[in-house]
Amino acid sequence: RGISGELVKRLVEADLLYQTDFPTSTGKTMPVIVFPIYDEKGKAVGADSCGTYNLDGFKFKHVYDGSDPTYGWRFANGVTTVTDKTPIYFCESAVDAMSLCMLEGYKGVYVSMAGCKDVTLDGIINVYGGKPVICVDNDEAGGKFRKRHPDAATLKPQFGNDWNDELQLRIENRLPYALNPSAR
């Protein structure tokens, strides 16, 4: 998917992602990346996950039962304290959040809402503060989400539907992107 080993290692070391296996209906197991979700006190309040590839036409994406939608999976890039001026980049998935960080390397907090969830955007801003930046897909659901938050800044992928499409297309076509996601 184009995510750098450096970023993955940083997130693994911070207990923000790990790999496990998921048994499919065909009896095969699929490698799955799990993204633990924590509240402001560091307590686990849920998890999001996705398969690392499609297996026999099966694409795995799952938010674990009981996950608190107020909190999204998130990580900081180049910031240790969130202020009212800290950008909070709201993406539809963890892979999109990591991809946006790889592409631009902006300092701020990257959040996966596991879809277009107002409750996650509102919850994160209410608990942590910051300045919301809407970074959802270029599709109908993303357009509706942007319209519900007209006062928030917006970033859109230039190529493709989502940030991972953008990252993969830039890599394939040798277009520039931030090579060091913690540099900006």
Side-chain angles (χ1 to χ4, degrees):
R1 296 204 182 207
I3 308 296
S4 77
E6 175 188 332
L7 180 58
V8 170
K9 181 180 177 190
R10 190 175 78 174
L11 296 171
V12 167
E13 289 172 351
D15 293 327
L16 292 173
L17 70 82
Y18 63 90
Q19 183 175 325
T20 190
D21 291 318
F22 179 81
T24 68
S25 60
T26 64
K28 296 178 183 177
T29 58
M30 170 182 256
V32 173
I33 304 300
V34 178
F35 305 95
I37 300 169
Y38 300 99
D39 68 11
E40 69 274 16
K41 295 176 182 163
K43 178 184 172 198
V45 294
D48 190 1
S49 62
C50 70
T52 58
Y53 59 87
N54 292 349
L55 178 66
D56 300 332
F58 177 72
K59 186 174 182 180
F60 184 84
K61 286 188 176 188
H62 180 70
V63 176
Y64 286 79
D65 292 342
S67 294
D68 186 342
T70 305
Y71 299 94
W73 178 80
R74 65 197 177 282
F75 67 96
N77 187 57
V79 297
T80 54
T81 303
V82 175
T83 69
D84 288 343
K85 295 181 181 182
T86 304
I88 311 291
Y89 302 100
F90 289 91
C91 299
E92 288 190 38
S93 73
V95 170
D96 284 340
M98 292 186 296
S99 297
L100 177 60
C101 185
M102 287 292 307
L103 284 162
E104 303 299 345
Y106 296 130
K107 290 182 179 179
V109 177
Y110 293 77
V111 176
S112 165
M113 300 179 287
C116 292
K117 296 179 182 164
D118 297 314
V119 66
T120 305
L121 185 143
D122 295 340
I124 293 291
I125 295 301
N126 287 337
V127 171
Y128 297 101
K131 181 180 172 188
V133 181
I134 307 298
C135 306
V136 295
D137 295 356
N138 280 331
D139 60 12
E140 185 178 344
K144 288 179 180 179
F145 189 79
R146 283 187 289 277
K147 284 181 183 176
R148 290 195 305 269
H149 301 280
D151 295 334
T154 300
L155 289 175
K156 291 183 184 180
Q158 292 178 326
F159 311 104
N161 184 55
D162 62 33
W163 293 105
N164 190 249
D165 288 348
E166 175 93 2
L167 178 60
Q168 290 182 35
L169 287 167
R170 286 197 194 186
I171 290 169
E172 288 172 17
N173 295 303
R174 298 178 186 219
L175 299 171
Y177 66 95
L179 296 175
N180 183 351
S182 60
R184 286 189 177 181

